[in-house]
Coordinates of all heavy atoms in Angstrom, one line a residue:
M1 N -8.3 -29.4 -3.8 CA -8.5 -28.0 -3.4 C -7.1 -27.3 -3.2 O -6.2 -28.0 -2.8 CB -9.2 -28.1 -2.0 CG -9.8 -26.8 -1.6 SD -10.7 -27.0 0.0 CE -9.9 -25.8 1.0
C2 N -7.1 -26.1 -3.5 CA -5.9 -25.3 -3.5 C -5.4 -25.2 -2.0 O -6.2 -25.0 -1.1 CB -6.1 -23.9 -4.1 SG -5.7 -23.9 -5.8
K3 N -4.1 -25.2 -1.8 CA -3.6 -24.9 -0.5 C -3.8 -23.4 -0.2 O -3.8 -22.6 -1.0 CB -2.1 -25.2 -0.5 CG -1.8 -26.7 -0.4 CD -0.3 -26.9 -0.2 CE 0.0 -28.4 0.1 NZ 1.4 -28.6 0.2
K4 N -3.9 -23.2 1.1 CA -4.1 -21.8 1.6 C -2.7 -21.1 1.5 O -1.7 -21.7 1.7 CB -4.5 -21.8 3.1 CG -6.0 -22.2 3.2 CD -6.4 -22.0 4.6 CE -7.9 -22.2 4.8 NZ -8.3 -22.1 6.2
I5 N -2.8 -19.8 1.2 CA -1.6 -19.0 1.1 C -1.2 -18.5 2.5 O -2.0 -18.0 3.3 CB -1.8 -17.8 0.2 CG1 -2.0 -18.3 -1.2 CG2 -0.6 -16.8 0.3 CD1 -2.4 -17.2 -2.2
K6 N 0.1 -18.8 2.8 CA 0.6 -18.4 4.1 C 1.3 -17.0 4.0 O 1.1 -16.1 4.9 CB 1.6 -19.4 4.7 CG 2.2 -19.1 6.0 CD 3.0 -20.2 6.6 CE 4.4 -20.2 5.9 NZ 5.2 -21.3 6.4
K7 N 2.1 -16.8 3.0 CA 2.9 -15.6 2.9 C 3.1 -15.3 1.4 O 3.3 -16.2 0.6 CB 4.2 -15.9 3.6 CG 5.1 -14.6 3.7 CD 6.4 -14.9 4.5 CE 7.3 -13.7 4.4 NZ 8.7 -14.0 4.8
V8 N 3.2 -14.0 1.1 CA 3.5 -13.6 -0.3 C 4.7 -12.6 -0.1 O 4.6 -11.7 0.7 CB 2.3 -12.9 -1.0 CG1 2.8 -12.4 -2.3 CG2 1.2 -13.9 -1.1
S9 N 5.8 -12.8 -0.8 CA 6.8 -11.9 -0.8 C 7.3 -11.5 -2.2 O 7.1 -12.3 -3.1 CB 8.0 -12.4 0.1 OG 8.2 -13.7 -0.2
I10 N 8.0 -10.4 -2.3 CA 8.5 -10.0 -3.6 C 10.0 -9.9 -3.5 O 10.5 -9.1 -2.7 CB 7.9 -8.7 -4.0 CG1 6.4 -8.9 -4.2 CG2 8.5 -8.2 -5.3 CD1 5.5 -7.7 -4.3
V11 N 10.7 -10.7 -4.2 CA 12.2 -10.7 -4.1 C 12.7 -9.6 -5.0 O 12.0 -9.1 -5.9 CB 12.8 -12.1 -4.4 CG1 12.3 -13.2 -3.4 CG2 12.5 -12.5 -5.8
P12 N 14.0 -9.2 -4.8 CA 14.5 -8.1 -5.6 C 14.5 -8.5 -7.1 O 14.6 -9.6 -7.5 CB 16.0 -8.0 -5.2 CG 15.9 -8.5 -3.7 CD 14.9 -9.6 -3.7
G13 N 14.2 -7.5 -8.0 CA 14.2 -7.7 -9.4 C 13.0 -7.2 -10.1 O 12.9 -7.3 -11.3
C14 N 12.0 -6.7 -9.3 CA 10.8 -6.1 -9.9 C 11.1 -5.1 -11.0 O 12.0 -4.2 -10.7 CB 9.9 -5.6 -8.8 SG 8.5 -4.6 -9.4
I15 N 10.5 -5.1 -12.1 CA 10.7 -4.1 -13.2 C 9.5 -3.1 -13.2 O 9.4 -2.4 -14.2 CB 11.0 -4.8 -14.5 CG1 9.8 -5.7 -14.9 CG2 12.3 -5.5 -14.5 CD1 9.9 -6.2 -16.4
S16 N 8.7 -3.1 -12.2 CA 7.6 -2.1 -12.1 C 6.7 -2.1 -13.3 O 6.2 -1.0 -13.7 CB 8.2 -0.7 -11.9 OG 9.2 -0.7 -10.9
C17 N 6.3 -3.3 -13.8 CA 5.4 -3.3 -14.9 C 4.0 -3.1 -14.6 O 3.2 -2.7 -15.4 CB 5.6 -4.7 -15.6 SG 4.8 -6.0 -14.7
G18 N 3.6 -3.2 -13.3 CA 2.3 -3.0 -12.9 C 1.3 -4.1 -13.0 O 0.1 -4.0 -12.6
T19 N 1.7 -5.2 -13.5 CA 0.8 -6.4 -13.8 C 0.2 -6.9 -12.5 O -1.0 -7.1 -12.4 CB 1.6 -7.5 -14.5 OG1 2.1 -7.0 -15.7 CG2 0.6 -8.7 -14.7
C20 N 1.0 -7.1 -11.5 CA 0.4 -7.6 -10.2 C -0.7 -6.8 -9.6 O -1.7 -7.3 -9.2 CB 1.6 -7.9 -9.2 SG 2.6 -6.5 -8.8
E21 N -0.4 -5.4 -9.6 CA -1.5 -4.6 -9.1 C -2.7 -4.6 -10.0 O -3.8 -4.5 -9.5 CB -0.9 -3.1 -9.0 CG -1.9 -2.2 -8.4 CD -1.3 -0.8 -8.1 OE1 -0.1 -0.7 -7.8 OE2 -2.1 0.2 -8.2
S22 N -2.6 -4.7 -11.3 CA -3.7 -4.8 -12.2 C -4.5 -6.0 -11.9 O -5.8 -6.0 -11.9 CB -3.3 -4.7 -13.7 OG -2.6 -3.6 -13.9
V23 N -3.8 -7.1 -11.7 CA -4.5 -8.4 -11.6 C -5.1 -8.5 -10.2 O -6.2 -9.0 -10.0 CB -3.5 -9.6 -11.8 CG1 -4.1 -10.9 -11.4 CG2 -3.1 -9.6 -13.3
C24 N -4.4 -8.1 -9.2 CA -4.9 -8.3 -7.8 C -4.6 -7.0 -6.9 O -3.7 -7.0 -6.1 CB -4.2 -9.5 -7.2 SG -4.9 -10.0 -5.6
P25 N -5.4 -6.0 -7.2 CA -5.1 -4.7 -6.5 C -5.3 -4.6 -5.0 O -4.8 -3.7 -4.4 CB -6.0 -3.7 -7.2 CG -7.1 -4.6 -7.8 CD -6.5 -5.9 -8.1
R26 N -6.0 -5.6 -4.5 CA -6.2 -5.6 -3.0 C -5.0 -6.1 -2.3 O -4.9 -5.9 -1.1 CB -7.5 -6.4 -2.6 CG -8.7 -5.8 -3.2 CD -10.0 -6.3 -2.4 NE -10.3 -7.7 -2.7 CZ -11.4 -8.2 -2.3 NH1 -12.3 -7.5 -1.7 NH2 -11.6 -9.5 -2.5
V27 N -4.1 -6.8 -3.0 CA -2.9 -7.4 -2.4 C -1.7 -6.7 -2.8 O -0.8 -6.4 -1.9 CB -2.8 -8.9 -2.7 CG1 -1.5 -9.5 -2.2 CG2 -4.0 -9.7 -2.0
F28 N -1.6 -6.3 -4.0 CA -0.3 -5.7 -4.5 C -0.5 -4.2 -4.8 O -1.5 -3.7 -5.2 CB 0.2 -6.4 -5.8 CG 0.4 -7.8 -5.6 CD1 -0.5 -8.8 -6.1 CD2 1.6 -8.3 -5.0 CE1 -0.3 -10.1 -5.9 CE2 1.8 -9.6 -4.9 CZ 0.9 -10.6 -5.3
Q29 N 0.6 -3.4 -4.5 CA 0.7 -2.1 -5.0 C 2.1 -1.8 -5.6 O 3.0 -2.4 -5.1 CB 0.3 -1.1 -3.9 CG 1.3 -1.0 -2.8 CD 0.8 -0.1 -1.7 OE1 -0.2 0.6 -1.8 NE2 1.5 0.0 -0.6
V30 N 2.1 -1.0 -6.6 CA 3.4 -0.7 -7.2 C 3.7 0.7 -7.0 O 3.1 1.6 -7.5 CB 3.4 -1.0 -8.7 CG1 4.8 -0.8 -9.3 CG2 3.0 -2.5 -9.0
K31 N 4.7 1.0 -6.0 CA 5.1 2.3 -5.7 C 6.6 2.3 -5.9 O 7.4 1.9 -5.0 CB 4.8 2.7 -4.2 CG 3.3 2.9 -4.0 CD 2.8 3.1 -2.6 CE 3.7 3.6 -1.5 NZ 3.1 3.7 -0.2
G32 N 7.1 2.6 -7.1 CA 8.5 2.4 -7.4 C 8.6 0.9 -7.8 O 8.7 0.6 -9.0
V33 N 8.7 0.1 -6.8 CA 8.6 -1.4 -7.1 C 7.4 -1.9 -6.4 O 6.8 -1.3 -5.5 CB 9.9 -2.1 -6.6 CG1 11.1 -1.7 -7.4 CG2 10.2 -1.9 -5.1
A34 N 7.1 -3.1 -6.8 CA 5.9 -3.8 -6.2 C 6.1 -4.1 -4.7 O 7.2 -4.4 -4.3 CB 5.5 -5.0 -7.0
E35 N 5.0 -4.0 -4.0 CA 5.0 -4.5 -2.6 C 3.7 -5.1 -2.2 O 2.7 -4.8 -2.9 CB 5.4 -3.4 -1.6 CG 4.5 -2.1 -1.8 CD 5.0 -0.9 -1.0 OE1 6.2 -0.7 -1.0 OE2 4.2 -0.3 -0.2
V36 N 3.6 -5.8 -1.2 CA 2.4 -6.4 -0.7 C 1.8 -5.3 0.2 O 2.5 -4.7 1.1 CB 2.6 -7.6 0.1 CG1 1.3 -8.1 0.8 CG2 3.1 -8.7 -0.8
R37 N 0.5 -4.9 -0.1 CA -0.1 -3.9 0.7 C -0.1 -4.3 2.2 O -0.2 -5.4 2.6 CB -1.6 -3.7 0.3 CG -1.7 -3.0 -1.0 CD -3.2 -2.9 -1.3 NE -3.4 -2.3 -2.7 CZ -3.3 -1.0 -2.9 NH1 -3.1 -0.1 -2.0 NH2 -3.4 -0.6 -4.2
Q38 N -0.2 -3.2 3.1 CA -0.2 -3.5 4.5 C -1.4 -4.4 4.9 O -1.2 -5.3 5.7 CB -0.3 -2.2 5.3 CG 0.2 -2.3 6.7 CD 0.3 -0.9 7.3 OE1 0.0 0.1 6.8 NE2 0.8 -0.9 8.6
D39 N -2.5 -4.2 4.3 CA -3.7 -5.0 4.6 C -3.9 -6.1 3.6 O -4.9 -6.8 3.6 CB -5.0 -4.2 4.7 CG -5.3 -3.5 3.3 OD1 -4.4 -3.5 2.5 OD2 -6.4 -3.0 3.2
G40 N -2.9 -6.3 2.7 CA -2.9 -7.4 1.7 C -3.2 -8.8 2.3 O -4.0 -9.5 1.7
P41 N -2.5 -9.1 3.4 CA -2.7 -10.5 3.9 C -4.1 -10.8 4.2 O -4.5 -12.0 4.2 CB -1.8 -10.5 5.1 CG -0.7 -9.6 4.7 CD -1.3 -8.5 4.0
S42 N -4.9 -9.8 4.5 CA -6.3 -10.2 4.9 C -7.1 -10.6 3.7 O -8.2 -11.1 3.8 CB -7.0 -9.0 5.5 OG -6.9 -7.8 4.7
Y43 N -6.5 -10.5 2.5 CA -7.2 -10.9 1.2 C -6.6 -12.2 0.6 O -6.9 -12.6 -0.5 CB -7.2 -9.8 0.2 CG -8.0 -8.6 0.6 CD1 -7.3 -7.4 1.0 CD2 -9.4 -8.6 0.7 CE1 -8.0 -6.3 1.5 CE2 -10.1 -7.5 1.2 CZ -9.4 -6.3 1.5 OH -10.1 -5.2 2.0
F44 N -5.6 -12.7 1.3 CA -4.9 -13.9 0.7 C -5.8 -15.0 0.4 O -5.6 -15.7 -0.6 CB -3.8 -14.4 1.7 CG -2.5 -13.6 1.7 CD1 -1.5 -13.9 2.5 CD2 -2.3 -12.5 0.8 CE1 -0.3 -13.2 2.5 CE2 -1.2 -11.8 0.8 CZ -0.1 -12.1 1.7
Q45 N -6.8 -15.2 1.2 CA -7.7 -16.4 1.0 C -8.7 -16.0 -0.1 O -8.9 -16.7 -1.1 CB -8.4 -16.9 2.3 CG -7.4 -17.3 3.4 CD -6.1 -18.0 2.9 OE1 -6.2 -18.8 1.9 NE2 -5.0 -17.7 3.4
E46 N -9.4 -14.9 0.1 CA -10.4 -14.5 -0.8 C -9.9 -14.3 -2.2 O -10.6 -14.6 -3.2 CB -11.0 -13.2 -0.3 CG -12.4 -12.9 -0.7 CD -12.9 -11.6 -0.1 OE1 -12.6 -11.2 1.0 OE2 -13.7 -10.9 -0.8
D47 N -8.7 -13.7 -2.4 CA -8.1 -13.4 -3.7 C -7.0 -14.4 -4.0 O -6.1 -14.1 -4.8 CB -7.6 -12.0 -3.7 CG -8.6 -10.9 -3.7 OD1 -9.8 -11.3 -3.7 OD2 -8.3 -9.7 -3.6
A48 N -7.1 -15.6 -3.5 CA -5.9 -16.5 -3.7 C -5.7 -16.8 -5.1 O -4.5 -16.8 -5.6 CB -6.2 -17.8 -2.9
D49 N -6.7 -17.0 -5.9 CA -6.5 -17.3 -7.3 C -5.9 -16.1 -8.0 O -5.0 -16.3 -8.9 CB -7.9 -17.6 -8.0 CG -8.4 -19.0 -7.6 OD1 -7.7 -19.8 -7.0 OD2 -9.6 -19.2 -7.9
L50 N -6.2 -14.9 -7.6 CA -5.7 -13.7 -8.3 C -4.2 -13.6 -7.9 O -3.4 -13.1 -8.7 CB -6.5 -12.5 -7.9 CG -7.9 -12.4 -8.4 CD1 -8.6 -11.2 -7.9 CD2 -7.9 -12.5 -10.0
V51 N -3.9 -13.9 -6.6 CA -2.5 -13.8 -6.2 C -1.6 -14.7 -7.0 O -0.6 -14.4 -7.5 CB -2.4 -14.1 -4.7 CG1 -0.9 -14.2 -4.2 CG2 -3.1 -13.0 -3.8
R52 N -2.1 -16.0 -7.1 CA -1.4 -17.0 -7.9 C -1.3 -16.6 -9.4 O -0.2 -16.8 -10.0 CB -2.0 -18.3 -7.8 CG -2.0 -18.9 -6.4 CD -2.7 -20.2 -6.3 NE -3.1 -20.5 -4.9 CZ -2.2 -21.0 -4.0 NH1 -1.0 -21.2 -4.3 NH2 -2.7 -21.3 -2.8
E53 N -2.3 -16.0 -9.9 CA -2.3 -15.5 -11.3 C -1.3 -14.4 -11.5 O -0.5 -14.4 -12.4 CB -3.7 -15.0 -11.7 CG -3.8 -14.7 -13.2 CD -5.2 -14.2 -13.6 OE1 -6.1 -14.4 -12.8 OE2 -5.3 -13.6 -14.6
A54 N -1.2 -13.5 -10.5 CA -0.3 -12.4 -10.6 C 1.2 -12.9 -10.5 O 2.0 -12.5 -11.3 CB -0.5 -11.4 -9.4
A55 N 1.4 -13.9 -9.7 CA 2.7 -14.5 -9.6 C 3.1 -15.2 -10.9 O 4.2 -15.1 -11.4 CB 2.8 -15.5 -8.4
D56 N 2.1 -15.9 -11.5 CA 2.4 -16.6 -12.8 C 2.7 -15.6 -13.9 O 3.5 -15.8 -14.8 CB 1.1 -17.4 -13.2 CG 1.0 -18.7 -12.4 OD1 2.0 -19.0 -11.7 OD2 0.0 -19.3 -12.4
L57 N 2.0 -14.4 -13.9 CA 2.1 -13.5 -14.9 C 3.3 -12.5 -14.8 O 3.7 -11.9 -15.7 CB 0.8 -12.6 -15.0 CG -0.4 -13.4 -15.6 CD1 -1.7 -12.5 -15.5 CD2 -0.2 -13.8 -17.0
C58 N 3.8 -12.4 -13.6 CA 5.0 -11.5 -13.4 C 6.1 -11.9 -14.4 O 6.6 -13.0 -14.4 CB 5.5 -11.7 -11.9 SG 7.0 -10.7 -11.7
P59 N 6.5 -10.9 -15.2 CA 7.5 -11.3 -16.3 C 8.8 -11.6 -15.8 O 9.6 -12.3 -16.5 CB 7.5 -10.0 -17.1 CG 7.0 -8.9 -16.2 CD 6.0 -9.5 -15.3
V60 N 9.2 -11.3 -14.5 CA 10.5 -11.6 -14.0 C 10.4 -12.6 -12.8 O 11.4 -12.8 -12.1 CB 11.3 -10.3 -13.6 CG1 11.7 -9.6 -14.9 CG2 10.4 -9.4 -12.8
S61 N 9.2 -13.1 -12.6 CA 9.0 -14.1 -11.6 C 9.6 -13.8 -10.2 O 10.3 -14.6 -9.6 CB 9.6 -15.5 -12.1 OG 9.0 -15.8 -13.3
V62 N 9.3 -12.6 -9.7 CA 9.8 -12.2 -8.4 C 8.8 -12.3 -7.3 O 9.1 -12.0 -6.1 CB 10.4 -10.8 -8.4 CG1 11.6 -10.8 -9.3 CG2 9.4 -9.8 -8.8
I63 N 7.6 -12.7 -7.6 CA 6.5 -12.9 -6.6 C 6.6 -14.3 -6.1 O 6.4 -15.3 -6.9 CB 5.1 -12.6 -7.2 CG1 5.1 -11.1 -7.7 CG2 4.1 -12.8 -6.1 CD1 3.8 -10.8 -8.4
V64 N 6.8 -14.5 -4.8 CA 6.9 -15.8 -4.2 C 5.7 -16.0 -3.3 O 5.5 -15.3 -2.4 CB 8.2 -15.9 -3.4 CG1 8.4 -17.3 -2.7 CG2 9.5 -15.6 -4.2
V65 N 5.0 -17.1 -3.6 CA 3.8 -17.4 -2.9 C 4.1 -18.7 -2.0 O 4.5 -19.7 -2.6 CB 2.6 -17.7 -3.8 CG1 1.4 -18.1 -3.0 CG2 2.3 -16.5 -4.7
E66 N 4.0 -18.5 -0.7 CA 4.3 -19.7 0.2 C 2.9 -20.2 0.6 O 2.1 -19.5 1.2 CB 5.1 -19.2 1.4 CG 6.5 -19.0 1.1 CD 7.3 -18.4 2.3 OE1 7.3 -19.1 3.3 OE2 7.9 -17.4 2.2
D67 N 2.7 -21.5 0.4 CA 1.5 -22.1 0.9 C 1.7 -22.6 2.3 O 2.8 -22.8 2.8 CB 1.2 -23.3 0.0 CG 0.8 -22.9 -1.4 OD1 0.2 -21.9 -1.5 OD2 1.3 -23.6 -2.3
E68 N 0.6 -22.8 3.0 CA 0.7 -23.4 4.4 C 1.2 -24.8 4.3 O 1.1 -25.4 3.3 CB -0.7 -23.4 5.0 CG -1.1 -22.0 5.5 CD -2.4 -21.9 6.3 OE1 -3.1 -23.0 6.4 OE2 -2.7 -20.8 6.7
N69 N 1.9 -25.2 5.3 CA 2.5 -26.5 5.4 C 3.6 -26.6 4.4 O 3.8 -27.7 3.8 CB 1.5 -27.6 5.2 CG 0.4 -27.6 6.1 OD1 0.6 -27.3 7.3 ND2 -0.8 -27.8 5.6
Q70 N 4.3 -25.5 4.1 CA 5.4 -25.6 3.2 C 6.7 -25.5 3.9 O 6.8 -24.7 4.8 CB 5.3 -24.5 2.1 CG 6.1 -24.7 0.9 CD 5.9 -23.6 -0.1 OE1 6.0 -22.4 0.1 NE2 5.5 -24.0 -1.3
Ligands
SF4_101 S1 4.3 -8.2 -12.0 FE1 6.3 -8.5 -11.2 S2 7.6 -7.1 -12.3 FE2 5.5 -6.4 -12.6 S3 5.2 -4.9 -10.9 FE3 4.5 -6.9 -10.2 S4 6.4 -7.8 -9.1 FE4 7.1 -6.1 -10.4

């Protein structure tokens, strides 16, 4: 079973491609650069696969997903 997501952050370097918001719009929004929506954490569990997919697909790998017990 997948570990639960504790925190998602976006480190500097986003190129504003929009992929994360397309893949997981309830967690990410791209306003200039990508950010985690204010209410994004409430979807970390429900959309966990999408959050991980967005992180995998980010072309510059700036989405950092921290699992619980990490
Ligand atoms: S996928 Fe990565 S580069 Fe693209 S908008 Fe999201 S954080 Fe930025």
Side-chain angles (χ1 to χ4, degrees):
M1 200 176 119
C2 272
K3 283 187 173 177
K4 286 187 177 176
I5 293 173
K6 182 174 77 179
K7 188 180 173 196
V8 178
S9 42
I10 298 166
V11 299
C14 168
I15 57 169
S16 309
C17 71
T19 300
C20 54
E21 184 174 327
S22 298
V23 171
C24 190
R26 295 200 293 190
V27 170
F28 300 102
Q29 66 185 354
V30 181
K31 289 174 22 183
V33 292
E35 56 189 46
V36 175
R37 287 183 185 278
Q38 200 170 6
D39 63 346
S42 57
Y43 297 107
F44 281 177
Q45 302 324 320
E46 205 178 325
D47 288 357
D49 288 348
L50 294 176
V51 171
R52 294 179 201 280
E53 188 180 341
D56 284 346
L57 290 174
C58 174
V60 287
S61 303
V62 295
I63 301 173
V64 180
V65 179
E66 287 175 55
D67 294 320
E68 282 186 357
N69 306 319
Q70 196 177 55

